[in-house]
Amino acid sequence: MKSKSKNKFSSKLADSATIQRLVSVTDDMLKTLISMSSALLAVGVIFDSFVKVPLMRIFIILMFFLGLIISFLGVLPLNVRYDIEDAEELKDQQVDIFLRKRRHLWFSAGAMLLGFILVIVDLIMDVFSKSPV
C-alpha cells in the first residue's frame, strides 16, 4: 500500500528536479530581497529629510529591517536529516523546504510592501499638510 503524502503539493509537483528548481528560484528571490531590503534600509537611515515624521521614519526603517531579517532566515539552510532509502520522505522534505522558503519570501515581501505604503502615506501627509500660499 502506498503511503499518503502529508503535503498537498507533493502530488502536484512532478519530480524531484522540479522541486529543486523551485527551491533554487525561491532562494534566488530571497537573496534579491536581501539586497533590496539592505539598500532601502540604508536609504531610510541616511536620508533623514526624506520622511518628515520621526515616528513614521522609525516604522519604515523597522519594516525594511524586518524584511531583511525574514529574507535572511529564509536563505539559511535547515538542519534536516535525509533518509536516502525512502524516496517519498525525501520528496516530502524537499517540498517542506520549498514551502518554508516560499513563506519567508511572502512575509519578507509583505514587510517591504508595508514599508513602501508607509513611505507613500508619509508623502501624502506631507503634501496635504502644507498650507496653500
PDB file of all heavy atoms in Angstrom, residues 13-44:
ATOM      1  N   LEU A  13       3.481  18.366  -7.732  1.00  0.00           N
ATOM      2  CA  LEU A  13       4.831  18.559  -8.242  1.00  0.00           C
ATOM      3  C   LEU A  13       5.339  17.243  -8.805  1.00  0.00           C
ATOM      4  O   LEU A  13       5.319  16.221  -8.146  1.00  0.00           O
ATOM      5  CB  LEU A  13       5.752  19.064  -7.137  1.00  0.00           C
ATOM      6  CG  LEU A  13       5.349  20.417  -6.537  1.00  0.00           C
ATOM      7  CD1 LEU A  13       6.234  20.756  -5.377  1.00  0.00           C
ATOM      8  CD2 LEU A  13       5.398  21.502  -7.573  1.00  0.00           C
ATOM      9  N   ALA A  14       5.805  17.307 -10.029  1.00  0.00           N
ATOM     10  CA  ALA A  14       6.085  16.081 -10.770  1.00  0.00           C
ATOM     11  C   ALA A  14       7.250  15.290 -10.209  1.00  0.00           C
ATOM     12  O   ALA A  14       7.110  14.137  -9.849  1.00  0.00           O
ATOM     13  CB  ALA A  14       6.333  16.413 -12.235  1.00  0.00           C
ATOM     14  N   ASP A  15       8.394  15.888 -10.096  1.00  0.00           N
ATOM     15  CA  ASP A  15       9.564  15.115  -9.727  1.00  0.00           C
ATOM     16  C   ASP A  15      10.485  15.928  -8.833  1.00  0.00           C
ATOM     17  O   ASP A  15      10.236  17.096  -8.557  1.00  0.00           O
ATOM     18  CB  ASP A  15      10.300  14.642 -10.986  1.00  0.00           C
ATOM     19  CG  ASP A  15      10.705  15.804 -11.889  1.00  0.00           C
ATOM     20  OD1 ASP A  15      10.367  16.953 -11.571  1.00  0.00           O
ATOM     21  OD2 ASP A  15      11.366  15.549 -12.896  1.00  0.00           O
ATOM     22  N   SER A  16      11.530  15.281  -8.409  1.00  0.00           N
ATOM     23  CA  SER A  16      12.493  15.915  -7.508  1.00  0.00           C
ATOM     24  C   SER A  16      13.231  17.058  -8.180  1.00  0.00           C
ATOM     25  O   SER A  16      13.564  18.053  -7.532  1.00  0.00           O
ATOM     26  CB  SER A  16      13.480  14.860  -7.014  1.00  0.00           C
ATOM     27  OG  SER A  16      14.402  15.427  -6.122  1.00  0.00           O
ATOM     28  N   ALA A  17      13.479  16.947  -9.473  1.00  0.00           N
ATOM     29  CA  ALA A  17      14.182  18.019 -10.190  1.00  0.00           C
ATOM     30  C   ALA A  17      13.350  19.294 -10.222  1.00  0.00           C
ATOM     31  O   ALA A  17      13.878  20.397 -10.090  1.00  0.00           O
ATOM     32  CB  ALA A  17      14.526  17.566 -11.597  1.00  0.00           C
ATOM     33  N   THR A  18      12.039  19.147 -10.383  1.00  0.00           N
ATOM     34  CA  THR A  18      11.153  20.307 -10.373  1.00  0.00           C
ATOM     35  C   THR A  18      11.178  20.986  -9.009  1.00  0.00           C
ATOM     36  O   THR A  18      11.236  22.219  -8.921  1.00  0.00           O
ATOM     37  CB  THR A  18       9.715  19.885 -10.729  1.00  0.00           C
ATOM     38  OG1 THR A  18       9.716  19.223 -11.983  1.00  0.00           O
ATOM     39  CG2 THR A  18       8.781  21.070 -10.767  1.00  0.00           C
ATOM     40  N   ILE A  19      11.135  20.192  -7.972  1.00  0.00           N
ATOM     41  CA  ILE A  19      11.168  20.744  -6.617  1.00  0.00           C
ATOM     42  C   ILE A  19      12.494  21.464  -6.378  1.00  0.00           C
ATOM     43  O   ILE A  19      12.520  22.556  -5.811  1.00  0.00           O
ATOM     44  CB  ILE A  19      10.943  19.629  -5.571  1.00  0.00           C
ATOM     45  CG1 ILE A  19       9.556  19.022  -5.742  1.00  0.00           C
ATOM     46  CG2 ILE A  19      11.094  20.182  -4.163  1.00  0.00           C
ATOM     47  CD1 ILE A  19       9.339  17.767  -4.945  1.00  0.00           C
ATOM     48  N   GLN A  20      13.591  20.877  -6.823  1.00  0.00           N
ATOM     49  CA  GLN A  20      14.898  21.514  -6.657  1.00  0.00           C
ATOM     50  C   GLN A  20      14.961  22.842  -7.396  1.00  0.00           C
ATOM     51  O   GLN A  20      15.528  23.814  -6.905  1.00  0.00           O
ATOM     52  CB  GLN A  20      16.016  20.587  -7.145  1.00  0.00           C
ATOM     53  CG  GLN A  20      16.309  19.436  -6.225  1.00  0.00           C
ATOM     54  CD  GLN A  20      16.820  19.909  -4.870  1.00  0.00           C
ATOM     55  OE1 GLN A  20      17.359  20.997  -4.714  1.00  0.00           O
ATOM     56  NE2 GLN A  20      16.611  19.082  -3.866  1.00  0.00           N
ATOM     57  N   ARG A  21      14.384  22.906  -8.590  1.00  0.00           N
ATOM     58  CA  ARG A  21      14.359  24.170  -9.338  1.00  0.00           C
ATOM     59  C   ARG A  21      13.522  25.213  -8.604  1.00  0.00           C
ATOM     60  O   ARG A  21      13.886  26.385  -8.551  1.00  0.00           O
ATOM     61  CB  ARG A  21      13.833  23.951 -10.750  1.00  0.00           C
ATOM     62  CG  ARG A  21      14.843  23.309 -11.679  1.00  0.00           C
ATOM     63  CD  ARG A  21      14.399  23.369 -13.137  1.00  0.00           C
ATOM     64  NE  ARG A  21      13.120  22.717 -13.386  1.00  0.00           N
ATOM     65  CZ  ARG A  21      12.978  21.433 -13.699  1.00  0.00           C
ATOM     66  NH1 ARG A  21      14.036  20.649 -13.797  1.00  0.00           N
ATOM     67  NH2 ARG A  21      11.784  20.922 -13.918  1.00  0.00           N
ATOM     68  N   LEU A  22      12.388  24.797  -8.050  1.00  0.00           N
ATOM     69  CA  LEU A  22      11.550  25.723  -7.296  1.00  0.00           C
ATOM     70  C   LEU A  22      12.275  26.251  -6.064  1.00  0.00           C
ATOM     71  O   LEU A  22      12.196  27.441  -5.747  1.00  0.00           O
ATOM     72  CB  LEU A  22      10.245  25.038  -6.885  1.00  0.00           C
ATOM     73  CG  LEU A  22       9.226  24.794  -7.994  1.00  0.00           C
ATOM     74  CD1 LEU A  22       8.081  23.938  -7.475  1.00  0.00           C
ATOM     75  CD2 LEU A  22       8.709  26.101  -8.550  1.00  0.00           C
ATOM     76  N   VAL A  23      12.988  25.382  -5.376  1.00  0.00           N
ATOM     77  CA  VAL A  23      13.760  25.803  -4.207  1.00  0.00           C
ATOM     78  C   VAL A  23      14.853  26.775  -4.631  1.00  0.00           C
ATOM     79  O   VAL A  23      15.081  27.800  -3.981  1.00  0.00           O
ATOM     80  CB  VAL A  23      14.356  24.581  -3.465  1.00  0.00           C
ATOM     81  CG1 VAL A  23      15.376  25.009  -2.432  1.00  0.00           C
ATOM     82  CG2 VAL A  23      13.251  23.769  -2.812  1.00  0.00           C
ATOM     83  N   SER A  24      15.508  26.495  -5.745  1.00  0.00           N
ATOM     84  CA  SER A  24      16.573  27.363  -6.242  1.00  0.00           C
ATOM     85  C   SER A  24      16.051  28.741  -6.627  1.00  0.00           C
ATOM     86  O   SER A  24      16.652  29.770  -6.279  1.00  0.00           O
ATOM     87  CB  SER A  24      17.259  26.698  -7.430  1.00  0.00           C
ATOM     88  OG  SER A  24      18.245  27.544  -7.957  1.00  0.00           O
ATOM     89  N   VAL A  25      14.924  28.775  -7.327  1.00  0.00           N
ATOM     90  CA  VAL A  25      14.343  30.056  -7.731  1.00  0.00           C
ATOM     91  C   VAL A  25      13.898  30.849  -6.505  1.00  0.00           C
ATOM     92  O   VAL A  25      14.144  32.057  -6.404  1.00  0.00           O
ATOM     93  CB  VAL A  25      13.166  29.834  -8.708  1.00  0.00           C
ATOM     94  CG1 VAL A  25      12.353  31.094  -8.900  1.00  0.00           C
ATOM     95  CG2 VAL A  25      13.672  29.328 -10.036  1.00  0.00           C
ATOM     96  N   THR A  26      13.257  30.188  -5.564  1.00  0.00           N
ATOM     97  CA  THR A  26      12.814  30.855  -4.343  1.00  0.00           C
ATOM     98  C   THR A  26      14.000  31.378  -3.553  1.00  0.00           C
ATOM     99  O   THR A  26      13.961  32.490  -3.018  1.00  0.00           O
ATOM    100  CB  THR A  26      11.979  29.885  -3.482  1.00  0.00           C
ATOM    101  OG1 THR A  26      10.952  29.322  -4.287  1.00  0.00           O
ATOM    102  CG2 THR A  26      11.360  30.595  -2.307  1.00  0.00           C
ATOM    103  N   ASP A  27      15.065  30.611  -3.509  1.00  0.00           N
ATOM    104  CA  ASP A  27      16.282  31.035  -2.819  1.00  0.00           C
ATOM    105  C   ASP A  27      16.887  32.277  -3.485  1.00  0.00           C
ATOM    106  O   ASP A  27      17.298  33.215  -2.807  1.00  0.00           O
ATOM    107  CB  ASP A  27      17.294  29.883  -2.817  1.00  0.00           C
ATOM    108  CG  ASP A  27      18.199  29.906  -1.618  1.00  0.00           C
ATOM    109  OD1 ASP A  27      17.740  30.335  -0.544  1.00  0.00           O
ATOM    110  OD2 ASP A  27      19.361  29.487  -1.761  1.00  0.00           O
ATOM    111  N   ASP A  28      16.904  32.288  -4.812  1.00  0.00           N
ATOM    112  CA  ASP A  28      17.408  33.460  -5.539  1.00  0.00           C
ATOM    113  C   ASP A  28      16.543  34.691  -5.276  1.00  0.00           C
ATOM    114  O   ASP A  28      17.059  35.801  -5.133  1.00  0.00           O
ATOM    115  CB  ASP A  28      17.470  33.184  -7.037  1.00  0.00           C
ATOM    116  CG  ASP A  28      18.562  32.193  -7.406  1.00  0.00           C
ATOM    117  OD1 ASP A  28      19.483  31.975  -6.583  1.00  0.00           O
ATOM    118  OD2 ASP A  28      18.489  31.625  -8.518  1.00  0.00           O
ATOM    119  N   MET A  29      15.239  34.494  -5.218  1.00  0.00           N
ATOM    120  CA  MET A  29      14.342  35.614  -4.936  1.00  0.00           C
ATOM    121  C   MET A  29      14.560  36.147  -3.525  1.00  0.00           C
ATOM    122  O   MET A  29      14.529  37.361  -3.299  1.00  0.00           O
ATOM    123  CB  MET A  29      12.891  35.184  -5.130  1.00  0.00           C
ATOM    124  CG  MET A  29      12.554  34.883  -6.577  1.00  0.00           C
ATOM    125  SD  MET A  29      10.947  34.121  -6.777  1.00  0.00           S
ATOM    126  CE  MET A  29       9.877  35.530  -6.573  1.00  0.00           C
ATOM    127  N   LEU A  30      14.801  35.259  -2.570  1.00  0.00           N
ATOM    128  CA  LEU A  30      15.084  35.700  -1.207  1.00  0.00           C
ATOM    129  C   LEU A  30      16.387  36.491  -1.151  1.00  0.00           C
ATOM    130  O   LEU A  30      16.486  37.497  -0.448  1.00  0.00           O
ATOM    131  CB  LEU A  30      15.139  34.492  -0.264  1.00  0.00           C
ATOM    132  CG  LEU A  30      13.800  33.905   0.143  1.00  0.00           C
ATOM    133  CD1 LEU A  30      13.994  32.544   0.794  1.00  0.00           C
ATOM    134  CD2 LEU A  30      13.066  34.845   1.086  1.00  0.00           C
ATOM    135  N   LYS A  31      17.392  36.052  -1.897  1.00  0.00           N
ATOM    136  CA  LYS A  31      18.661  36.789  -1.937  1.00  0.00           C
ATOM    137  C   LYS A  31      18.476  38.162  -2.561  1.00  0.00           C
ATOM    138  O   LYS A  31      19.088  39.138  -2.121  1.00  0.00           O
ATOM    139  CB  LYS A  31      19.706  35.980  -2.701  1.00  0.00           C
ATOM    140  CG  LYS A  31      20.172  34.751  -1.949  1.00  0.00           C
ATOM    141  CD  LYS A  31      21.121  33.918  -2.780  1.00  0.00           C
ATOM    142  CE  LYS A  31      21.471  32.625  -2.055  1.00  0.00           C
ATOM    143  NZ  LYS A  31      22.321  31.753  -2.864  1.00  0.00           N
ATOM    144  N   THR A  32      17.623  38.261  -3.565  1.00  0.00           N
ATOM    145  CA  THR A  32      17.323  39.558  -4.165  1.00  0.00           C
ATOM    146  C   THR A  32      16.617  40.462  -3.160  1.00  0.00           C
ATOM    147  O   THR A  32      16.911  41.660  -3.066  1.00  0.00           O
ATOM    148  CB  THR A  32      16.446  39.376  -5.418  1.00  0.00           C
ATOM    149  OG1 THR A  32      17.125  38.520  -6.330  1.00  0.00           O
ATOM    150  CG2 THR A  32      16.145  40.702  -6.080  1.00  0.00           C
ATOM    151  N   LEU A  33      15.695  39.897  -2.388  1.00  0.00           N
ATOM    152  CA  LEU A  33      15.019  40.684  -1.358  1.00  0.00           C
ATOM    153  C   LEU A  33      15.986  41.139  -0.275  1.00  0.00           C
ATOM    154  O   LEU A  33      15.807  42.223   0.298  1.00  0.00           O
ATOM    155  CB  LEU A  33      13.868  39.885  -0.746  1.00  0.00           C
ATOM    156  CG  LEU A  33      12.599  39.830  -1.574  1.00  0.00           C
ATOM    157  CD1 LEU A  33      11.563  38.943  -0.890  1.00  0.00           C
ATOM    158  CD2 LEU A  33      12.021  41.211  -1.791  1.00  0.00           C
ATOM    159  N   ILE A  34      17.000  40.338   0.016  1.00  0.00           N
ATOM    160  CA  ILE A  34      18.020  40.760   0.978  1.00  0.00           C
ATOM    161  C   ILE A  34      18.737  42.000   0.458  1.00  0.00           C
ATOM    162  O   ILE A  34      18.936  42.977   1.187  1.00  0.00           O
ATOM    163  CB  ILE A  34      19.020  39.623   1.267  1.00  0.00           C
ATOM    164  CG1 ILE A  34      18.363  38.535   2.116  1.00  0.00           C
ATOM    165  CG2 ILE A  34      20.269  40.148   1.966  1.00  0.00           C
ATOM    166  CD1 ILE A  34      19.212  37.311   2.324  1.00  0.00           C
ATOM    167  N   SER A  35      19.110  41.979  -0.821  1.00  0.00           N
ATOM    168  CA  SER A  35      19.784  43.136  -1.414  1.00  0.00           C
ATOM    169  C   SER A  35      18.885  44.366  -1.416  1.00  0.00           C
ATOM    170  O   SER A  35      19.321  45.466  -1.070  1.00  0.00           O
ATOM    171  CB  SER A  35      20.215  42.823  -2.846  1.00  0.00           C
ATOM    172  OG  SER A  35      21.090  41.735  -2.871  1.00  0.00           O
ATOM    173  N   MET A  36      17.639  44.179  -1.811  1.00  0.00           N
ATOM    174  CA  MET A  36      16.709  45.306  -1.847  1.00  0.00           C
ATOM    175  C   MET A  36      16.446  45.861  -0.456  1.00  0.00           C
ATOM    176  O   MET A  36      16.422  47.082  -0.257  1.00  0.00           O
ATOM    177  CB  MET A  36      15.396  44.875  -2.499  1.00  0.00           C
ATOM    178  CG  MET A  36      15.497  44.633  -3.980  1.00  0.00           C
ATOM    179  SD  MET A  36      13.973  43.972  -4.693  1.00  0.00           S
ATOM    180  CE  MET A  36      12.773  45.179  -4.203  1.00  0.00           C
ATOM    181  N   SER A  37      16.237  44.988   0.517  1.00  0.00           N
ATOM    182  CA  SER A  37      15.983  45.443   1.887  1.00  0.00           C
ATOM    183  C   SER A  37      17.180  46.200   2.447  1.00  0.00           C
ATOM    184  O   SER A  37      17.017  47.219   3.125  1.00  0.00           O
ATOM    185  CB  SER A  37      15.665  44.252   2.792  1.00  0.00           C
ATOM    186  OG  SER A  37      14.508  43.607   2.396  1.00  0.00           O
ATOM    187  N   SER A  38      18.369  45.700   2.158  1.00  0.00           N
ATOM    188  CA  SER A  38      19.574  46.381   2.639  1.00  0.00           C
ATOM    189  C   SER A  38      19.696  47.770   2.032  1.00  0.00           C
ATOM    190  O   SER A  38      20.011  48.737   2.728  1.00  0.00           O
ATOM    191  CB  SER A  38      20.822  45.568   2.298  1.00  0.00           C
ATOM    192  OG  SER A  38      20.769  44.304   2.887  1.00  0.00           O
ATOM    193  N   ALA A  39      19.442  47.881   0.734  1.00  0.00           N
ATOM    194  CA  ALA A  39      19.528  49.177   0.071  1.00  0.00           C
ATOM    195  C   ALA A  39      18.469  50.144   0.603  1.00  0.00           C
ATOM    196  O   ALA A  39      18.765  51.314   0.887  1.00  0.00           O
ATOM    197  CB  ALA A  39      19.379  49.005  -1.438  1.00  0.00           C
ATOM    198  N   LEU A  40      17.246  49.656   0.762  1.00  0.00           N
ATOM    199  CA  LEU A  40      16.178  50.513   1.275  1.00  0.00           C
ATOM    200  C   LEU A  40      16.412  50.905   2.720  1.00  0.00           C
ATOM    201  O   LEU A  40      16.093  52.022   3.127  1.00  0.00           O
ATOM    202  CB  LEU A  40      14.832  49.810   1.123  1.00  0.00           C
ATOM    203  CG  LEU A  40      14.351  49.660  -0.316  1.00  0.00           C
ATOM    204  CD1 LEU A  40      13.178  48.701  -0.381  1.00  0.00           C
ATOM    205  CD2 LEU A  40      13.989  51.006  -0.891  1.00  0.00           C
ATOM    206  N   LEU A  41      16.976  50.004   3.488  1.00  0.00           N
ATOM    207  CA  LEU A  41      17.303  50.314   4.874  1.00  0.00           C
ATOM    208  C   LEU A  41      18.372  51.396   4.932  1.00  0.00           C
ATOM    209  O   LEU A  41      18.274  52.338   5.730  1.00  0.00           O
ATOM    210  CB  LEU A  41      17.773  49.045   5.590  1.00  0.00           C
ATOM    211  CG  LEU A  41      17.955  49.096   7.090  1.00  0.00           C
ATOM    212  CD1 LEU A  41      16.655  49.481   7.767  1.00  0.00           C
ATOM    213  CD2 LEU A  41      18.433  47.752   7.599  1.00  0.00           C
ATOM    214  N   ALA A  42      19.371  51.301   4.071  1.00  0.00           N
ATOM    215  CA  ALA A  42      20.429  52.320   4.027  1.00  0.00           C
ATOM    216  C   ALA A  42      19.870  53.664   3.595  1.00  0.00           C
ATOM    217  O   ALA A  42      20.218  54.707   4.173  1.00  0.00           O
ATOM    218  CB  ALA A  42      21.542  51.884   3.077  1.00  0.00           C
ATOM    219  N   VAL A  43      18.992  53.674   2.604  1.00  0.00           N
ATOM    220  CA  VAL A  43      18.378  54.925   2.159  1.00  0.00           C
ATOM    221  C   VAL A  43      17.541  55.527   3.283  1.00  0.00           C
ATOM    222  O   VAL A  43      17.578  56.733   3.525  1.00  0.00           O
ATOM    223  CB  VAL A  43      17.514  54.683   0.893  1.00  0.00           C
ATOM    224  CG1 VAL A  43      16.629  55.868   0.591  1.00  0.00           C
ATOM    225  CG2 VAL A  43      18.411  54.387  -0.291  1.00  0.00           C
ATOM    226  N   GLY A  44      16.798  54.692   3.992  1.00  0.00           N
ATOM    227  CA  GLY A  44      15.966  55.183   5.093  1.00  0.00           C
ATOM    228  C   GLY A  44      16.772  55.752   6.238  1.00  0.00           C
ATOM    229  O   GLY A  44      16.357  56.713   6.883  1.00  0.00           O
TER     230      GLY A  44
END
